[in-house]
Structures are given as C-alpha cells and as structure tokens.
Amino acid sequence: VVNMAYEIAKFEQFVIICLDIETLRACYALGFDCGAINNEDNTGLRSAVQNTKFIVSHWLTMRNTPFAFFEMDVWFLQSASTLPMVAKLQNMGQNYNESIDMLFAAHQNNPTATNIGFYLVAASKRTQEFFSHCIEESQKHRPRAHDQNIVHNMLSYHRAYRRKSRIPSEKQWKDKPRTPKPENPIEFAFIPPHIGVSSTHPIPTERTVFVHTLGTVPLQAQHGKRIHAKELGIWHGAFLGYYARPWLFRQRYTPTPAFFKHKFLALDGHPLGNAISISEIFGYHNPRHLKARLAFLITIAKATGRILILPKIIADYHLYFTWPFLDLSSLQGLCDFRETNFFSNPKSWLNYTHPFLSIAQVSYTNKAIGIRFPYTQNSPTWYTSPNYMEQSNHWTLFAHLMDSLLSDTQLILLHDG
C-alpha cells in the first residue's frame, strides 16, 4: 500500500494512521511514516475507525494542511492528480464561487451517495468547523451511528445553511445533525462514480483513478474484498514477490532474485483456456466432475511444487471464478495459488513486453508424460517410465518425471528482471 501511494497515486508524502499498537510498531520497524490515536477506552474497531478518521482530519485542518484520505481497501490505478476539480482544491479562495472545500467519493450506483473511503480536503476555517461538528456528532449525539452516515448528513446540513435553504425539522429529517448552526458552512462536490469507483460490484474503466471495493465480510474472507481486488487486477500484493514485477520496487525496495523465480501451473486445452466446463457431454452438470478436475490440478501443483492458477468454471450461460466453488482456505498446506486473472494482470509479467521467459505444455496419460514447447515443437515428446508397473502411486511417478524432465525448463521461470 505504501508503494502504491508513492508509485501509483503519486502522493508526495504518505502517513499510515494505525488503530493498534502492534500495527504501529510494525510500520515503525519498516521505516514507514506512521501515527496513531490513543484508544484507551477500547470502544471497539468500528468506533476507533470513525473517531480516528474525524480526529486526524480535524487535526490536519487546524494545522492548515490540505490532505487526501483513503482507507486501506482503496486501490489506485493512476495518479490522484488526475481527479477532476483537484485544481479548485489547490487554489482555495474565500469566495464560495471560486472553489470547493472538499471532494468526496460517491457510490457507483448512486452519484450523490457519500462514500468516505476517499476524500480530498482543503484546510480552512470551514473544514475545521465541519470536522469539529463530525466529532461532536459522533462522540456526543450519535455514538452508534455509522461514520459515513454522519458525514453524509453533515454535508447536507452545511449545504442547506450555505444555500440558505429551509432546514427540515427533526420529525421530517430523522438523522438531522444536532450540532449548532455552522458559522462557516462548506462547499463540496462528488467525484464522478466511474472515476472513483466505490461498489460491491465495481466496474473500472481506463479513466478510473481508484477503486474502493465494498462488502459486508472481512477483507480476507472467502468472498471478501481481497479476492475481488485481485481478480480486478488492482490488488497490490501483501508480500514482495506476489507479483513478479521487479521494476515496481526499484525506488523503495531491494528484493532478492528468489522473489521472481516462480513456477506456475495452469490448465490448457480448453477453447476458453484455463477453464473447467460442466456443460459438455463428459461431466455434464456433475459437481463430482468439477471436484475431481480441481483435485487433479491441486495434486499436480503440490507434487511439482508449482503455484496453481485457479481455473475459470463454465456452467451453461455463466462464467465463474473458482472461489465460489472451492474453499480456498482448504488449500493451505497443499499448494500456493493465484487468482484466475493473474496472467491478465501486467503486474505478474516478467517485463513490460513479455509475461514469461519460457512455457511448456504437458500432457499426462496412464503410462506416459508428453512435453511440448509451443514455440519450438509442433508435437509433444513422450516419456515413459520403465518401472511404471512397479509404481504403487501414480502421483509419485508423475512428480518424479515432472521434476526430472522440467528441472531446467520449468513451466514458467521468471529470472531477475
């Protein structure tokens, strides 16, 4: 995330706000700029998140510091400076007609529904008062309210006073803020919903600046935000070497060559590539067929020490990812794996123009293994074990042949740079 903030979003300075002492110590040990808010009352994660968000925002505006805030499940695809209306924030004036005070993300399916996963703030008396009101509303009047609802209602409250509109009664507006009348009401705007995409089903385009993956389950859950971000190609790996892109780290990290020497395994031979179909004659609508094919791939990956690229699942009119069908946590200790769209993501490529250094196609029959190198061979070379009949375990034979035959020409070998 730190690398993304500097290299992709192009922020000049980036500070991590930690919610617990363990995270703070880890960031400090890695040399990251970081800070934390004291949460001695131990009111829980949700309260800590929204209190920290409001307190830090108010603290920065009090020090006349303009800033951008984003949560850790927001992923940038290009520089934040490309956001529309940013120039207005960089040239703040005291006249409301000259500029706006804050720029907020909106939801993909509702361009006026506030999403506070990302916002830009200009430091002024108006923004100081705004976040002061958010703190008061959150801590004093509505401690159980969601921070996003507090901000959304506070924005409407300030805008109504700025435009001198009629303020609805509490009976008409149940979530009406209980803070005093703002003396310096703010002006704000929303980022277009396809420029900043916030959704449970995000649809990014070539002009999208960031994606905020939404959901009601934890980040690392089976159907959580992490796997969604990976399949969209916007995930920045949690450890160095998840993606084999050495040039990404040239300015801030010095990874060892081992990070880029990965061996991968993917299914081949289907018209749709790395895919398993249950819409064909053999295995038609048979879940056992699907489980058997997946078990076969997982076993080969384990026996050969390769990283499995999860296949697509084809069922009639629909194309699925594997994870709705397979409990990914069950693969722990069996084999490492990558998301289905891994090879479609340039982050995984060997360099800017070539995804891999070498590729081999492998066929397995009852008694032999055939290996073909697509760019040098028209047909596979078949190898048979002379001791096949003495082997009690087919997988032992397969692993032995694969490791010996592909020791120098692995399926995919990524060298240093």
Side-chain angles (χ1 to χ4, degrees):
V1 172
V2 173
N3 188 77
M4 176 191 70
Y6 284 113
E7 306 291 346
I8 307 298
K10 304 297 183 184
F11 291 121
E12 295 180 1
Q13 187 174 5
F14 176 66
V15 179
I16 300 174
I17 304 301
C18 306
L19 299 178
D20 54 65
I21 191 64
E22 291 79 9
T23 305
L24 182 65
R25 287 171 176 168
C27 291
Y28 181 79
L30 292 169
F32 299 150
D33 293 330
C34 55
I37 299 294
N38 189 3
N39 187 35
E40 291 182 348
D41 56 353
N42 194 26
T43 54
L45 178 62
R46 174 176 164 179
S47 178
V49 169
Q50 67 183 42
N51 285 333
T52 299
K53 191 178 299 182
F54 295 153
I55 291 171
V56 171
S57 297
H58 183 251
W59 186 86
L60 289 169
T61 57
M62 289 291 290
R63 282 151 184 80
N64 201 33
T65 303
F67 66 93
F69 169 87
F70 68 91
E71 296 178 346
M72 296 288 279
D73 54 357
V74 172
W75 310 101
F76 285 87
L77 281 66
Q78 53 185 302
S79 171
S81 64
T82 60
L83 287 169
M85 297 176 285
V86 170
K88 292 184 179 182
L89 288 167
Q90 295 172 342
N91 298 282
M92 284 298 300
Q94 297 303 313
N95 188 328
Y96 283 119
N97 295 325
E98 293 179 6
S99 56
I100 57 176
D101 299 290
M102 289 192 283
L103 189 62
F104 280 90
H107 287 81
Q108 181 179 266
N109 64 333
N110 189 339
T112 60
T114 311
N115 180 276
I116 58 173
F118 177 88
Y119 53 87
L120 283 164
V121 178
S124 68
K125 290 183 178 180
R126 298 189 291 275
T127 53
Q128 290 175 24
E129 184 181 35
F130 178 84
F131 285 111
S132 174
H133 284 176
C134 287
I135 293 172
E136 180 182 342
E137 186 77 2
S138 174
Q139 296 184 352
K140 182 178 179 181
H141 303 301
R142 302 183 189 275
R144 296 185 179 181
H146 192 281
D147 55 355
Q148 189 161 273
N149 291 337
I150 289 175
V151 171
H152 184 80
N153 284 291
M154 195 63 69
L155 290 173
S156 301
Y157 191 58
H158 274 239
R159 173 168 280 181
Y161 275 105
R162 192 194 74 79
R163 296 182 177 180
K164 300 180 180 180
S165 304
R166 185 183 68 84
I167 308 298
S169 65
E170 289 192 10
K171 185 177 181 180
Q172 295 171 313
W173 185 3
K174 292 191 297 183
D175 294 328
K176 177 184 176 182
R178 298 174 184 175
T179 53
K181 172 185 174 181
E183 297 180 3
N184 303 287
I186 66 163
E187 179 61 281
F188 69 94
F190 289 112
I191 299 170
H194 300 297
I195 301 297
V197 179
S198 303
S199 177
T200 54
H201 299 79
I203 305 175
T205 67
E206 63 180 358
R207 295 186 61 192
T208 297
V209 175
F210 66 85
V211 175
H212 185 192
T213 49
L214 304 181
T216 58
V217 295
L219 175 73
Q220 300 183 20
Q222 173 83 3
H223 298 164
K225 300 176 182 180
R226 179 175 63 174
I227 191 66
H228 290 177
K230 286 182 176 181
E231 297 292 7
L232 285 167
I234 57 178
W235 171 262
H236 290 260
F239 58 88
L240 294 181
Y242 184 90
Y243 296 113
R245 192 168 51 158
W247 61 87
L248 177 65
F249 309 105
R250 66 186 182 277
Q251 295 182 15
R252 301 186 178 272
Y253 305 101
T254 308
T256 63
F259 282 128
F260 312 110
K261 291 181 180 289
H262 293 319
K263 301 179 294 182
F264 296 100
L265 178 71
L267 190 63
D268 193 16
H270 194 277
L272 291 179
N274 183 26
I276 298 174
S277 173
I278 56 172
S279 298
E280 297 175 315
I281 294 177
F282 180 73
Y284 181 72
H285 286 192
N286 187 345
R288 294 182 62 187
H289 169 75
L290 173 61
K291 291 181 180 179
R293 296 294 296 274
L294 289 172
F296 181 82
L297 291 173
I298 293 166
T299 306
I300 296 175
K302 177 178 174 60
T304 59
R306 283 165 172 77
I307 299 172
L308 175 64
I309 306 300
L310 297 174
K312 299 183 287 286
I313 308 297
I314 305 167
D316 296 341
Y317 307 107
H318 305 286
L319 189 65
Y320 299 95
F321 295 115
T322 302
W323 38 270
F325 297 88
L326 177 67
D327 184 357
L328 300 181
S329 64
S330 66
L331 299 185
Q332 294 181 4
L334 292 177
C335 70
D336 197 1
F337 61 90
R338 296 290 188 268
E339 63 272 14
T340 301
N341 288 332
F342 183 77
F343 288 152
S344 300
N345 189 341
K347 294 190 190 78
S348 69
W349 286 25
L350 175 67
N351 53 47
Y352 285 108
T353 58
H354 293 79
F356 322 121
L357 180 67
S358 62
I359 302 174
Q361 292 177 315
V362 179
S363 301
Y364 175 55
T365 68
N366 287 336
K367 296 185 179 181
I369 292 176
I371 298 179
R372 170 179 174 265
F373 297 93
Y375 300 108
T376 59
Q377 290 179 272
N378 293 324
S379 58
T381 301
W382 290 91
Y383 300 85
T384 304
S385 171
N387 300 321
Y388 177 80
M389 298 305 294
E390 300 175 6
Q391 297 286 341
S392 59
N393 188 327
H394 288 194
W395 301 121
T396 301
L397 165 70
F398 188 85
H400 173 74
L401 286 177
M402 286 284 284
D403 287 339
S404 61
L405 294 173
L406 300 179
S407 58
D408 296 323
T409 54
Q410 296 153 342
L411 290 182
I412 298 174
L413 176 63
L414 303 174
H415 290 295
D416 327 338

